[in-house]
Amino acid sequence: MQTRLLTTIQDVAEPAHSALIIVDPQHDFCSEKGAMAQRFGFDMKEIREAVPKLNALIEACRAAGVMVVWVREVFSDDKMHPNQKALWGSGDDIWLIREDGDGIAWYDGMIAPARGERVITKWQYDAFADTELHLLLQSRGIKTLLMAGFTTNVCVETTARHGYIKGYHIVLASDCAGAPTRAEHEASVFNVKTYFGHVATGADLAAIWSRSSSAVRARS
């Protein structure tokens, strides 16, 4: 039997088979006092401005019955590859998202995970590598990943690319993700839209679900 192809964003983002993947909304990646800003001198304005929109999308997903998955990154000396250590330090010299540091905490502007929402810990950019994420999604019949979080051009895009290769439909919630610079963010938006799936705002997705719910009620 031929599988029906999901080509429109309305079909792709159907709540019953979609999961919101919230990537790394952590202190070190979002706060002006976090390690990324302090080490590289990044202006975190673009990221901070995305946080309220991400919070709104999380609430919209909960209301629509979309599965919500939180992802956090931790750099641990016994789980880092040599190439990671060359960039981010090893042992006591690890300076970003240390497993024993405050940088791994959720950014204080984020709403908290709700009871029952799974938290996946990843050890590098990719949320699928060496984690249970794929098994979790498969067990719930998920076909679509709604990608959000930080930073757009590193961990969000890396996870989206791997998700696409694994057969998931990809939707980037473009205003619910961010990077230190607009150029980095827009490059990833272009990549996803052109090569990997769909791009929509959080408000776009909420509106799709609202219209769908209204249509169901009208037919009842």
Side-chain angles (χ1 to χ4, degrees), residues 41 45 88 90 116 170 216:
K45 177 176 178 289
W88 307 111
S90 62
I170 303 298
V216 170

Side-chain angles (χ1 to χ4, degrees), residues 12-124:
V12 167
E14 167 63 37
H17 62 230
S18 297
L20 175 64
I21 310 298
I22 310 165
V23 179
D24 302 349
Q26 295 165 265
H27 177 79
D28 268 356
F29 297 128
C30 299
S31 174
E32 67 277 4
K33 297 179 181 178
M36 291 286 284
Q38 293 297 308
R39 184 83 168 210
F40 294 129
F42 287 155
D43 180 355
M44 309 307 282
K45 177 176 178 289
E46 296 277 348
I47 289 176
R48 291 197 310 273
E49 288 181 350
V51 168
K53 296 173 183 178
L54 174 53
N55 285 337
L57 177 59
I58 294 168
E59 296 289 16
C61 286
R62 290 169 177 171
V66 174
M67 182 183 184
V68 176
V69 180
W70 297 75
V71 178
R72 66 169 193 158
E73 188 170 19
V74 175
F75 281 169
S76 172
D77 190 68
D78 62 352
K79 295 182 176 67
M80 295 173 73
H81 298 302
N83 62 335
Q84 288 178 278
K85 293 179 179 182
L87 285 177
W88 307 111
S90 62
D92 291 338
D93 293 329
I94 297 172
W95 57 270
L96 180 71
I97 47 173
R98 291 177 57 94
E99 63 179 336
D100 59 353
D102 296 333
I104 65 173
W106 303 124
Y107 176 55
D108 59 14
M110 289 295 305
I111 60 177
R115 182 187 298 271
E117 292 177 349
R118 291 293 297 272
V119 177
I120 302 291
T121 298
K122 64 182 175 68
W123 311 103
Q124 51 182 296

